[in-house]
């Protein structure tokens, strides 16, 4: 019996891997979209994911409890989000602040790893990561069971958070947040506490992004290395841009990047392509999406700036074309 190479390539194992790799991107995309809906540009998702990855593993090593580790990561990310909220209240340029915060998180995590634990490149404590959950009944269904069952709790938490984020805007606090993002001055005039909403959004965004980072260390690998997130924060921001910060589009946008990672890993194990080329594929997908988002924004700006002629109105007179000299 021969096996179809295409079916073998796109197996349930690769689909399972794609959903798993979507988890940190989805949590980071929710964090980015939440900040944008509050009217604040948040480009420090990468920093918060690094903070969550490092603090989560430290807490797991110290306590041996995965729940404590995830909680510690969330609180550390929330504190980092609080720093950004404070900078926003002071009128600091958030783009410059985010770049500095990303650099600080990268270098500080490496420094603390070396000073506290003696790690020279990779710190691998003796810890037990999150176990996978087999859903009763569903797990026994062919293919569907492999697709929906057998993930750790953070995978299910990420998709549940995306659904809750969508439902949030059906209620008054969500509508207030939308009003703040669209017109903060008008929202403040209507009696909405704009600074409080923006601060809360940035703190929650920091916590969610940090849990996405903790997924890498506490949920999967059980180790920490320099640049542990490997650009996942920036990919999450791109996923939020692709979804136009609309909650209902965050899951498919994040799945696109998660499956591009899974595709790259599968391609590396089944072909003889150079490793550098394979590792570039997720970033190439990010570049293509950014180009698409930029083109769409340019077209939208051009459309808004073009005066529209009322239906039935006569066309403006065209300048006469001179025929002298012909």
């Amino acid at each position: 019996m021969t096996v179809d190479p295409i079916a073998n390539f796109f197996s349930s194992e690769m689909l399972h891997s794609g959903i798993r790799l979507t988890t940190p991107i989805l949590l980071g995309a929710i964090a980015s979209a939440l900040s944008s809906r509050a009217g604040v540009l948040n480009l420090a998702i990468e920093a918060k994911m690094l903070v969550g990855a490092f603090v989560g593993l430290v807490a797991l090593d110290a306590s041996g409890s995965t729940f404590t580790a995830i909680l510690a990561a969330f609180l550390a990310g929330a504190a980092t989000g609080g720093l950004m909220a404070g900078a926003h209240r002071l009128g600091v340029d958030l783009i410059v602040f985010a770049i500095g915060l990303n650099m600080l998180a990268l270098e500080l995590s490496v420094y603390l790893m070396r000073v506290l634990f003696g790690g020279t490149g990779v710190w691998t404590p003796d810890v037990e990561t999150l176990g996978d959950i087999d859903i009763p009944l569903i797990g026994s269904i062919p293919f569907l069971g492999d697709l929906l069952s057998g993930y750790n709790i953070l995978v299910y938490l990420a998709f549940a958070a995306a659904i809750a984020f969508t439902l949030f805007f059906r209620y008054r606090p969500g509508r207030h947040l939308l009003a703040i993002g669209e017109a903060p001055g008008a929202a403040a005039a209507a009696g909405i506490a704009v600074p409080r909403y923006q601060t809360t959004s940035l703190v929650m965004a920091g916590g969610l992004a940090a849990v996405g980072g903790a997924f890498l260390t506490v949920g999967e690998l059980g180790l920490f290395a320099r640049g542990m997130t490997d650009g996942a924060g920036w990919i999450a921001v791109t996923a939020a841009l692709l979804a136009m910060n609309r909650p209902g589009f965050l899951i498919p946008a994040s799945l696109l990047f998660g499956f591009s990672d899974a595709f790259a890993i599968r391609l590396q194990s089944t072909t003889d392509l150079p490793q550098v080329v394979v590792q570039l594929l997720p970033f190439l997908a990010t570049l293509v999406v950014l180009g698409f988002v930029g083109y769409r924004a340019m077209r939208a700006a051009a459309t808004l700036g073009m005066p529209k002629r009322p239906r039935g109105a006569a066309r403006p007179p065209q300048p006469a074309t001179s025929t002298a000299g012909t």
Side-chain angles (χ1 to χ4, degrees):
M1 182 179 64
T2 60
V3 179
D4 185 359
I6 297 179
N8 185 45
F9 192 88
F10 294 100
S11 61
S12 59
E13 180 183 352
M14 199 199 83
L15 296 176
H16 191 279
S17 177
I19 293 175
R20 184 169 48 81
L21 292 172
T22 298
T23 301
I25 297 173
L26 179 57
L27 287 169
I30 297 171
S32 179
L34 177 60
S35 304
S36 296
R37 286 300 186 180
V40 182
L41 179 63
N42 189 351
L43 297 179
I45 303 299
E46 182 82 4
K48 293 159 187 174
M49 293 182 74
L50 267 174
V51 167
F54 181 75
V55 173
L57 189 59
V58 170
L60 180 60
D61 183 43
S63 66
S65 168
T66 52
F67 174 79
T68 302
I70 295 170
L71 179 61
F74 178 86
L75 293 177
T80 309
L83 290 177
M84 175 162 276
H88 178 63
R89 293 287 294 273
L90 294 174
V92 175
D93 188 322
L94 291 186
I95 296 179
V96 176
F97 183 83
I99 293 174
L101 196 60
N102 288 331
M103 296 173 62
L104 176 64
L106 174 62
E107 301 302 334
L108 184 60
S109 61
V110 174
Y111 173 77
L112 291 177
M113 178 181 65
R114 292 178 178 176
V115 171
L116 299 179
F117 308 109
T120 56
V122 178
W123 174 45
T124 311
D126 185 14
V127 294
E128 185 176 350
T129 58
L130 288 171
D132 294 334
I133 300 174
D134 291 323
I135 303 177
L137 299 179
I138 294 180
S140 59
I141 301 175
F143 187 79
L144 187 63
D146 294 335
L147 195 63
L148 299 179
S149 181
Y151 304 98
N152 65 56
I153 186 63
L154 290 183
V155 177
Y156 299 108
L157 177 64
F159 285 89
I163 296 172
F165 185 55
T166 303
L167 297 176
F168 171 68
F169 292 101
R170 296 178 178 268
Y171 300 95
R172 179 178 296 179
R175 294 194 292 268
H176 285 179
L177 192 67
L178 287 176
I180 291 170
E182 293 293 334
I192 300 175
V194 174
R196 186 181 68 187
Y197 270 90
Q198 289 180 332
T199 298
T200 304
S201 298
L202 287 172
V203 169
M204 287 298 299
L208 287 172
V211 172
F215 170 82
L216 300 173
T217 54
V218 178
E220 289 288 308
L221 302 176
L223 58 85
F224 184 85
R226 176 185 175 89
M228 184 76 193
T229 53
D230 195 24
W234 294 108
I235 295 176
V237 173
T238 306
L241 288 174
L242 178 62
M244 298 174 291
N245 294 313
R246 296 182 180 179
F249 295 160
L250 287 176
I251 290 179
S254 300
L255 283 170
L256 172 65
F257 292 100
F259 276 101
S260 69
D261 283 340
F263 178 79
I265 294 173
R266 187 73 171 176
L267 198 63
Q268 184 176 352
S269 63
T270 56
T271 66
D272 296 328
L273 287 175
Q275 183 178 358
V276 176
V277 175
V278 174
Q279 290 176 343
L280 281 176
L281 289 178
F283 296 99
L284 180 62
T286 305
L287 184 62
V288 171
V289 168
L290 284 175
F292 171 74
V293 171
Y295 174 75
R296 187 177 59 191
M298 181 181 66
R299 288 293 300 272
T303 303
L304 290 175
M306 183 183 301
K308 295 184 177 179
R309 181 168 55 90
R311 179 173 296 180
R315 291 182 177 273
Q318 300 296 322
T321 302
S322 174
T323 58
T326 60

